[in-house]
Structures are given as structure tokens and as C-alpha cells.
Amino acid sequence: MSRQVQGYVYLALAMLTVGSTVIASKLIASGLPPFGATALRFAIAFPVLLLLMRATGARLPKLSREDRLILLIQAGAGSVGYTTLLISGLSLTSAADAGVIIGTLPVVAAAISILMLRERPQRALLLAVALATAGVLSIAFTPDAAGGSLSGNALIFLAVICEGLFILLNKKLKTEIAPLAQSTLMTGIGFIVAAIPAIFEAPFAHDMSAGAVAAVVYYALVPTVGGFLLWYAGAERVSGTEAALFTALAPVSAVMLAFIILGEPVGLSQIAGIACVLAAVLGLAFAGNRTVKLAGGR
């Protein structure tokens, strides 16, 4: 197997784990409160990432006060905000709908860059935004077709915006931070941020299901740690454009896993939505308008 093909396999598996976070979050939503589940996820993943840093000799760089503030906001939005909103939204809507909406992340991140960084949009980006919007609208106006809800879909979209802000804030960092070090920082800070509201949720007062706890452990070890390792192992073997194309697999895997594991029906609205989202992401990748960075946000 050539180095390039190895990269394709690693990237595909990484995006499969990203899509599986939707299924895990759906299971978590049925048995754990969102902040408690998020804090538990980071409590499991953080020591594993620390061990990886020690094994690889990775070090944390010296950070300015401004960079430390940015990292705190990043953890609040991309790590805690994304996960808690995803879990909360999936308590109301279907995993298939959530998979379509999460697929709009690359386009949403690019749109946020335009609005906040005053970047001049190209035609390809405007077309991608239009296609992604069409994809979301295709399920937004037919939420009851497959167990979805408008309020649940709105929470999922807010989660995507949080992750888009994470990507934008990453551009504001003045100090270059290695991917493993940044993922470890996001996980550690995310645990502290999530643990405070988790106390008020009184997670141990809830009837915690074994399935929900198992889903948190899976989320912490497979998508958070394993997905990170797979993504960067693949990204170093292929070009940036090739890596960007593989992000389109995340919504596809989410919808397919919702059908296979959860038994959710996949209707025409989801098929139309995912087709529009895929077209948007692929067009955006070919146009070279985004940089893929999978870090601690997911």
C-alpha cells in the first residue's frame, strides 16, 4: 500500500469517527445531562492525551496573556459549547438531521471568516454557502418526517457555529501550537469549563444508563483521541486539498450510522440535504478556500 493510499485510509477512518460522534451524542442525551457528560468525556480523554504528549516528547509553548484568553474562549465555544449543544439538540431531533447540519461546518466556518475577518468572498464560496443553506432548509421545513424537530435542529446549528468560532479563533493565535499540544490544552481547559455548570446539573442524581456512560467513554477515546491520531497521520501523507475533500465523509457517515445503528429512517429530505452539503463542501475544497484543522473542538 502506497503512502498516499495509507493517507486516504486514515482520513476516511478519521471522518468515520467524526460522524460517529452524532450517534454517541444521541445515546448520551438519553441518559446523561449535557455538561456532566462533557466533563466526563474530557476527564477521560485528557490523561490519555497527556500520555501521548509524554511519549512523543511534545511540549507546551510559552503563551502570551492574549493567547491564553483566546484558548479559554476556544475551549468554551469549540470544546464545551459544541458538545453540550450537540447533546442537547440530539435529545430533541434525529441523528440523521443532525448529521446533515454538522456537514455544513466548513461552509459556516468560511462564512464566519467573511463576517468577522472582513475577508472578500469568492464566487465559489458564495455558491457553497447557498448550497449548504439549501441543504439545511431541506430538513428544517420537514422536521417531523424522520423524528426531527425545529428546535433540536436549531441547537445543532448553534453547535456548528460554536465550532466555526473555534476555527476562526485559531487564526487569531500569535503562538504556533502543535496539534497534539493544542488538543491536550482544549481538553484540559474544556474539563474545567464544563465541570462548573456540571455541578449544578447534579449528574449523579440522574438515572445514568450504562449505554450513555459507554457512549461517553467511546466519545472520549475513539473520536477525541483516535480521531486526532488518524486525521494527522493521514494529513501528513496527502495534500491539503485532498485532506479537505475527506471532510465530506463526516455527514455521510453520520446519516448512514443513524440508519444502521439507531434504525432511523432516511427520507428524501435527508438525502437532498446531504447532497447539497456534499456539493458545497467539495466545491469549497476544490476552490481552496479553507484549511482543515481537526483539534480539540470535537
Side-chain angles (χ1 to χ4, degrees), residues 15-16 19 99-100 103 247-258 274-275 277-278:
M15 287 299 102
L16 181 62
V100 175
T247 63
L249 292 179
V252 176
S253 69
V255 173
M256 294 306 298
L257 289 172
I274 206 166
V277 170
L278 282 174

Side-chain angles (χ1 to χ4, degrees), residues 33-114:
F35 285 102
T38 302
L40 179 58
R41 170 203 168 193
F42 293 140
I44 296 170
F46 183 59
V48 177
L49 289 168
L50 281 177
L51 287 173
L52 285 174
M53 284 191 64
R54 184 169 183 176
T56 58
R59 295 181 177 273
L60 296 176
K62 292 183 179 180
L63 300 171
S64 65
R65 182 178 300 178
E66 182 180 350
D67 279 348
R68 289 197 294 267
L69 178 60
I70 290 174
L71 287 173
L72 177 61
I73 299 172
Q74 271 190 301
S79 295
V80 178
Y82 174 85
T83 308
T84 54
L85 285 167
L86 181 62
I87 294 171
S88 300
L90 280 162
S91 67
L92 302 171
T93 195
S94 69
D97 280 7
V100 175
I101 297 169
I102 286 174
T104 65
L105 172 61
V107 183
V108 170
I112 291 174
S113 294
I114 293 172

Side-chain angles (χ1 to χ4, degrees), residues 80-158:
V80 178
Y82 174 85
T83 308
T84 54
L85 285 167
L86 181 62
I87 294 171
S88 300
L90 280 162
S91 67
L92 302 171
T93 195
S94 69
D97 280 7
V100 175
I101 297 169
I102 286 174
T104 65
L105 172 61
V107 183
V108 170
I112 291 174
S113 294
I114 293 172
L115 294 174
M116 298 189 68
L117 299 182
R118 304 296 182 182
E119 294 180 356
R120 186 176 179 180
Q122 299 180 8
R123 290 181 182 179
L125 176 56
L126 294 176
L127 178 59
V129 170
L131 284 169
T133 302
V136 173
L137 291 179
S138 72
I139 60 172
F141 290 108
T142 55
D144 298 324
S149 79
L150 191 58
S151 57
N153 289 344
L155 288 172
I156 301 298
F157 190 69
L158 287 175

Side-chain angles (χ1 to χ4, degrees), residues 103-214:
T104 65
L105 172 61
V107 183
V108 170
I112 291 174
S113 294
I114 293 172
L115 294 174
M116 298 189 68
L117 299 182
R118 304 296 182 182
E119 294 180 356
R120 186 176 179 180
Q122 299 180 8
R123 290 181 182 179
L125 176 56
L126 294 176
L127 178 59
V129 170
L131 284 169
T133 302
V136 173
L137 291 179
S138 72
I139 60 172
F141 290 108
T142 55
D144 298 324
S149 79
L150 191 58
S151 57
N153 289 344
L155 288 172
I156 301 298
F157 190 69
L158 287 175
V160 172
I161 292 175
C162 282
E163 187 72 359
L165 290 172
F166 175 94
I167 295 171
L168 173 66
L169 288 169
N170 214 57
K171 298 179 181 180
K172 295 287 188 178
L173 288 171
K174 294 181 179 179
T175 305
E176 186 175 349
I177 306 175
L180 179 56
Q182 186 169 7
S183 290
T184 305
L185 282 170
M186 289 296 98
T187 304
I189 299 171
F191 169 72
I192 297 171
V193 173
I196 298 171
I199 295 172
F200 296 96
E201 285 182 332
F204 296 107
H206 292 74
D207 293 329
M208 295 187 292
S209 68
V213 174

Side-chain angles (χ1 to χ4, degrees), residues 24-40:
S25 297
K26 183 72 172 177
L27 296 173
I28 293 167
S30 66
L32 283 170
F35 285 102
T38 302
L40 179 58

